[in-house]
């Protein structure tokens, strides 16, 4: 079974994402900020991380930098999931190491297509 870590400071977004992902046969874990997400990845690397941009404690961009600097045995696929939709944001996310980018609000079809693009659906 594929694993996904949903990282968002919104419980509602995490719940919606969890529901969609579980219907796609993912085992889902959650984190409320980038620091929790990094700790989770260091303990057990998921197949994919669905990552919010703006969060307290550690932002999505700071998480990506810390993940890149860590010595994980393998790197999870990263799908940024955010309301930030400017081309500069998308470019910055991809340059920082994101594999794909999805806008909030999202639905199952959109999320599934992004996960197929990164090779985990």
């Amino acid at each position: 079974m594929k694993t996904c870590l949903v990282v968002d400071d919104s419980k509602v977004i995490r719940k919606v994402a969890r529901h969609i992902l579980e219907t796609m046969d993912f085992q889902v874990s959650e984190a409320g900020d980038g620091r929790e997400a990094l700790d989770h990845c260091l303990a057990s690397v998921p197949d994919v991380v669905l990552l919010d941009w703006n969060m307290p404690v550690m932002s999505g961009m700071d998480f990506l930098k810390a993940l890149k600097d860590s010595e994980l045995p393998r790197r999870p696929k990263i799908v940024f999931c955010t309301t930030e939709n400017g081309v500069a944001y998308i470019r910055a996310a991809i340059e920082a190491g994101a594999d794909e980018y999805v806008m909030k609000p999202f639905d199952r079809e959109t999320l599934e297509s992004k996960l197929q693009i990164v090779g985990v659906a």
Side-chain angles (χ1 to χ4, degrees), residues 68-96:
K68 188 182 286 187
D69 293 343
S70 70
E71 295 185 18
L72 294 177
R74 65 181 173 81
R75 186 186 169 281
K77 297 292 184 179
I78 306 292
V79 177
F80 248 115
C81 178
T82 182
T83 57
E84 304 294 353
N85 65 353
V87 173
Y89 283 103
I90 296 169
R91 183 178 300 120
I94 299 300
E95 288 174 358

Side-chain angles (χ1 to χ4, degrees), residues 51-55 59-61 80-93 100-105:
L51 182 64
D52 186 24
W53 189 294
N54 297 306
M55 295 176 289
S59 71
M61 290 297 280
F80 248 115
C81 178
T82 182
T83 57
E84 304 294 353
N85 65 353
V87 173
Y89 283 103
I90 296 169
R91 183 178 300 120
E100 204 30 90
Y101 201 93
V102 66
M103 293 299 303
K104 290 179 189 173

Side-chain angles (χ1 to χ4, degrees), residues 9-107:
D9 56 326
S10 166
K11 288 181 183 180
V12 172
I13 295 294
R14 292 196 313 262
K15 183 176 181 177
V16 169
R18 173 183 284 278
H19 174 73
I20 292 170
L21 290 159
E22 286 177 344
T23 66
M24 296 169 56
D25 294 325
F26 275 85
Q27 181 180 332
V28 180
S29 299
E30 299 179 21
D33 61 58
R35 179 77 248 168
E36 286 180 29
L38 185 61
D39 291 344
H40 179 88
C41 288
L42 293 174
S44 175
V45 182
D47 294 307
V48 63
V49 176
L50 192 61
L51 182 64
D52 186 24
W53 189 294
N54 297 306
M55 295 176 289
V57 183
M58 180 185 279
S59 71
M61 290 297 280
D62 290 339
F63 166 81
L64 273 181
K65 182 180 182 329
L67 190 69
K68 188 182 286 187
D69 293 343
S70 70
E71 295 185 18
L72 294 177
R74 65 181 173 81
R75 186 186 169 281
K77 297 292 184 179
I78 306 292
V79 177
F80 248 115
C81 178
T82 182
T83 57
E84 304 294 353
N85 65 353
V87 173
Y89 283 103
I90 296 169
R91 183 178 300 120
I94 299 300
E95 288 174 358
D99 297 289
E100 204 30 90
Y101 201 93
V102 66
M103 293 299 303
K104 290 179 189 173
F106 54 88
D107 57 18

